[in-house]
Amino acid sequence: DRWDWHELRAGSTRQAAGVLRGLAELLRVVTEPGAPVALDTPAYAWFFKVLDDTGRRAVQVPLTEDARLDLSALERALADGAEAYVLCSPHNPTGTVHTAEELNAVAELAAAYGVRVIADEIHAPFVPRDATYVPYLTVPGTANAFSLLSATKGWNLVALPAALIVAGPDATH
C-alpha cells in the first residue's frame, strides 16, 4: 500500500539468505558465466564481489554529475552486450530516488536490447519525504525483471539475513 504496489503475487516470490545471495542466484539464472553485467557507479562494493564470485564481468555505468541515471551510457553498455543490469533503486551510495520516467526509460532500453534487470530495492524505506519511490516492477515493460527486497536495512535487522526475490509475471519463462 505504501508504494502503490498491488500486483505483488505470493506465487511470484522466493526467499533468499540476503539480497546479495539473491543477486548471485539471479545472475546465475539470467546470465552465462563470463557475461558482462551493467551496474551504475559508484556502486555498493559488494556488488563487484558478487559479480566476481559468480564469474560475471562488471560493466560500470557512471551516474551523471548530479547522481542521476545516465541513460545514454546505459544504452551504450547494453548495446555493447551486457546481458543483465543491476539497478540499485534507491541508489546506494548516493541516495538518489529514481523517477518513474527514468525507470520507464530503463525498462524500454532493457526491452530493446533483451537485457534482464535485477533491481536491488533494499533501501526503499529510506526515501526523503519529498521524493516518491517507485518499485521497478510497477513500471510498464518490466514483466521479465526481478526485484530484491529486505527488511534488513529499513528495520535494522542486519543480523537476520533474509530477502525476498520478486519475479515479474514473465520473469521465469
Side-chain angles (χ1 to χ4, degrees):
D1 286 342
R2 180 179 183 183
W3 300 321
D4 246 0
W5 190 359
H6 302 289
E7 302 299 317
L8 187 60
R9 300 174 330 273
S12 67
T13 64
R14 295 289 182 268
Q15 294 177 331
V19 166
L20 293 174
R21 286 262 176 97
L23 175 60
E25 293 309 313
L26 288 171
L27 287 170
R28 287 183 181 102
V29 169
V30 302
T31 64
E32 296 296 323
V37 175
L39 72 155
D40 300 304
T41 53
Y44 180 50
W46 284 93
F47 285 164
F48 294 101
K49 174 111 172 76
V50 168
L51 291 171
D52 188 52
D53 287 352
T54 59
R56 275 55 179 182
R57 189 168 38 89
V59 176
Q60 296 185 41
V61 181
L63 296 174
T64 65
E65 286 185 24
D66 58 347
R68 305 301 317 177
L69 296 175
D70 187 334
L71 297 169
S72 296
L74 177 59
E75 182 169 19
R76 285 191 298 278
L78 302 186
D80 287 344
E83 291 183 19
Y85 171 47
V86 177
L87 170 69
C88 193
S89 180
H91 188 265
N92 178 21
T94 67
T96 300
V97 179
H98 308 306
T99 66
E101 293 77 19
E102 288 171 317
L103 297 175
N104 188 54
V106 167
E108 289 174 359
L109 288 172
Y113 291 97
V115 170
R116 304 297 290 275
V117 175
I118 302 169
D120 169 6
E121 298 179 302
I122 194 171
H123 292 97
F126 291 124
V127 298
R129 291 177 199 258
D130 62 340
T132 301
Y133 165 72
V134 178
Y136 185 68
L137 292 178
T138 66
V139 173
T142 61
N144 74 341
F146 295 90
S147 177
L148 292 162
L149 303 161
S150 177
T152 56
K153 298 290 183 183
W155 289 272
N156 195 24
L157 299 171
V158 177
L160 301 172
L164 187 64
I165 298 171
V166 182
D170 298 336
T172 58
H173 298 312

